Amino acid sequence: MAGGASAATLSVGPGKSYVAPCAAIAAAKDGDTIEIVGDWTYSGDVCAVARNNLIIRGVQGRPIIDAAGQQFGNKGTWVVTGNNVTVENVEMLGSKVRDRNGAALRLEGTNFTLRQAFIHDNENGILSGANRNSTIVIEHSEFGHNGYGDGQSHNLYIGNAKSLIFRYNYSHDAIIGHDLKSRAMYNMIAYNRFSSTPPGRPGSTASGKPSYEIDLPSAGTSYIIGNVIEQPAINDNSSLVAYGVEGPTNPGQDLYVINNTFINDFTAGMFLFISDKVSTPALLQNNVFAGPGTLTSQASAVQKDNRRLEKPGFIDRTGVTLRPLVNEMVLKAGPAADPWTSGADSKARPR
């Protein structure tokens, strides 16, 4: 009886079957796994990732993928045209192209997952095209110091996808661009940290000068839950979060901002800039807004149990240990908030 073909595991690294990732990517078939030996730098190795259901992951440490002046298709380092691709445990840097829009990961297929990665010092960290059938999941990863410096390139730029799930990440120090920009119709942005490294202080990347920490320019059903969102003293835009500012063209215009800690280290600004073209009142509940600035531009926003403090008492603000001091008014001040019963249509959630 003839049996079905099974997925293969292709090994990359010194002494392995493939000396560089792109050789293994070219040889792979749908459903294969590529394991890249870590604690090693692969320079100038750029290509298309065309197979479907492919898993690419670093093992025995984290491999460094350095574009080193090379690019594929004038687009970036890895141009993902396959569907249902997963990338795990890689470090990627150095993506530059002629039009100043190079990306470490250029997403052109349907559905993509990134986990446990460090994406830094590219013109774009991730850049995805418009694909209303695609769900993009990014978790447990760090993005830092991406951007050409023209305001048109970012740590992450997600095109008009079906949904973006962005959770447990650290995005910081974008160079003039945004720490996260998404045009997805549905956004779940949960339990992340958005901030920057003060000049002169050591960090995983150089200091940047970000614009918005989060930009959702096309609106969409969006949840911003449980994040730390910090505006640095050196920035390119005094607003922290922007919603619908390029026109609320997505089907949903409902924004839920719940259980976040906002910190403004600038002398002025706006925590939530919501376009006057957005007709649905945003829900702002159980947030701490620390530092100077206007809370929101939307007069109709529903505000429940938020705490607005010019100088809140945190355990260690500079070290981002943001638990309140024992005598702080925010301690145990917020009631339970269930974002799923706050007016969201359950049909909008990804399955």
Side-chain angles (χ1 to χ4, degrees):
M1 185 172 9
S6 59
T9 298
L10 288 67
S11 296
V12 176
K16 300 297 182 181
S17 301
Y18 301 91
V19 296
C22 284
I25 289 169
K29 295 179 172 55
D30 289 356
D32 284 352
T33 296
I34 296 171
E35 294 188 339
I36 307 170
V37 172
D39 297 329
W40 193 264
T41 299
Y42 303 86
S43 294
D45 194 50
V46 301
C47 56
V49 181
R51 293 297 185 182
N52 301 319
N53 304 303
L54 198 66
I55 298 174
I56 304 172
R57 64 187 176 209
V59 295
Q60 301 171 36
R62 177 180 283 169
I64 299 173
I65 314 299
D66 185 353
Q70 302 300 309
Q71 48 79 24
F72 181 84
N74 198 38
K75 294 180 178 180
T77 304
W78 288 353
V79 181
V80 182
T81 60
N83 301 327
N84 306 309
V85 171
T86 298
V87 176
E88 299 177 339
N89 191 36
V90 298
E91 179 176 346
M92 302 183 73
L93 70 152
S95 181
K96 299 178 181 180
V97 302
R98 185 173 57 250
D99 65 1
R100 304 172 180 176
N101 208 29
L105 290 160
R106 179 74 172 258
L107 308 183
E108 298 183 352
T110 299
N111 300 334
F112 176 80
T113 299
L114 179 72
R115 297 189 181 101
Q116 297 174 324
F118 180 24
I119 311 295
H120 64 96
D121 293 287
N122 305 278
E123 289 175 335
N124 287 283
I126 291 181
L127 175 60
S128 81
N131 184 342
R132 289 196 168 199
N133 295 312
S134 185
T135 292
I136 298 171
V137 178
I138 300 168
E139 55 190 9
H140 299 287
S141 295
E142 179 180 352
F143 299 83
H145 210 243
N146 299 287
Y148 178 79
D150 57 1
Q152 304 299 312
S153 47
H154 314 279
N155 271 354
L156 302 101
Y157 185 178
I158 306 303
N160 194 212
K162 176 182 179 182
S163 62
L164 169 67
I165 313 299
F166 190 80
R167 58 196 176 197
Y168 315 120
N169 301 296
Y170 175 31
S171 185
H172 60 99
D173 291 297
I175 305 173
I176 305 300
H178 309 312
D179 283 336
L180 172 62
K181 181 172 184 174
S182 173
R183 296 185 186 275
M185 295 184 289
Y186 173 97
N187 297 281
M188 170 56 74
I189 302 168
Y191 310 111
N192 307 283
R193 176 183 163 195
F194 300 89
S195 67
S196 290
T197 304
R201 182 177 297 174
S204 56
T205 71
S207 298
K209 188 180 180 182
S211 185
Y212 299 128
E213 304 301 318
I214 301 173
D215 183 23
L216 307 175
S218 304
T221 296
S222 299
Y223 294 86
I224 300 175
I225 297 176
N227 303 278
V228 172
I229 304 171
E230 179 184 6
Q231 171 84 304
I234 298 174
N235 59 75
D236 196 59
N237 193 304
S238 61
S239 294
L240 283 74
V241 174
Y243 182 77
V245 297
E246 295 181 27
T249 55
N250 276 331
Q253 296 185 26
D254 45 327
L255 174 64
Y256 305 87
V257 182
I258 298 173
N259 293 349
N260 302 280
T261 299
F262 290 83
I263 302 175
N264 186 13
D265 288 328
F266 192 47
T267 56
M270 183 171 294
F271 292 96
L272 290 161
F273 177 46
I274 301 172
S275 168
D276 58 9
K277 297 180 181 178
V278 173
S279 57
T280 304
L283 173 63
L284 283 54
Q285 185 169 6
N286 274 18
N287 303 285
V288 173
F289 296 96
T294 304
L295 198 152
T296 181
S297 61
Q298 189 184 56
S300 62
V302 178
Q303 301 184 38
K304 297 181 178 180
D305 303 304
N306 300 293
R307 294 297 183 270
R308 180 74 175 84
L309 304 169
E310 285 284 336
K311 296 180 179 180
F314 295 124
I315 296 293
D316 181 6
R317 176 169 173 168
T318 59
V320 200
T321 301
L322 301 180
R323 297 189 304 276
L325 297 172
V326 294
N327 60 344
E328 251 318 320
M329 62 178 290
V330 300
L331 189 66
K332 298 182 179 180
D338 179 3
W340 306 119
T341 58
S342 299
D345 181 355
S346 63
K347 295 180 181 179
R349 302 178 215 162
R351 296 296 196 266

